[in-house]
Every structure is written in C-alpha cells, then in structure tokens.
Amino acid sequence: ESSFINYKVSFINYVFNHFNIKVPRSSYEFANVGSTIPLAESKKGDLILFTSTDSTERDIGHIGIVVSNDTG
C-alpha cells in the first residue's frame, strides 16, 4: 500500500526552500524536471504529480509527497 499527502505547490516550495533546495514554482513546471518511475519504486519523500479528478484534464494540477510505500 502506498500513502501520500496531497499539497498545494506553494507548500512544496516552502518545504524545499526551507532546506535550500530550488524547485519549480508551479505544478506545471514540475512536470518538466526529474524522472518517471513506477509507483512501486517510489520512496518516502518522493513527489507524485497528478491531474485533477476530471479525466479530460491532462495538465498536472496537484503534487503529493510519498509518506510510505509498502508495494515494492
């Protein structure tokens, strides 16, 4: 079972900036950095990007932080 917490990108920025880690300012910009991995390989602290619940929307709109992953 995987668990993650859904945050606004502004909170993600706040947390990363606290640790002097530069990250994109918008969820859309996050889609252009990093790499894609299978969910089973995600680790605590990894970010998950996803679209809204509207299946016609394909733009990244939300970001989650993995808090646990027992699928791997």
Side-chain angles (χ1 to χ4, degrees), residues 27-43:
S27 55
Y28 180 79
E29 292 172 337
F30 265 96
N32 298 313
V33 297
S35 58
T36 302
I37 61 169
L39 180 58
E41 294 179 17
S42 66
K43 295 182 267 201

Side-chain angles (χ1 to χ4, degrees), residues 17-61:
N17 285 335
H18 177 77
F19 294 100
N20 295 316
I21 301 170
K22 186 172 173 65
V23 294
R25 293 178 51 98
S26 72
S27 55
Y28 180 79
E29 292 172 337
F30 265 96
N32 298 313
V33 297
S35 58
T36 302
I37 61 169
L39 180 58
E41 294 179 17
S42 66
K43 295 182 267 201
K44 186 176 179 179
D46 284 347
L47 299 179
I48 295 179
L49 285 67
F50 52 100
T51 61
S52 69
T53 55
D54 180 349
S55 63
T56 63
E57 279 289 321
R58 300 308 309 154
D59 292 334
I60 300 299

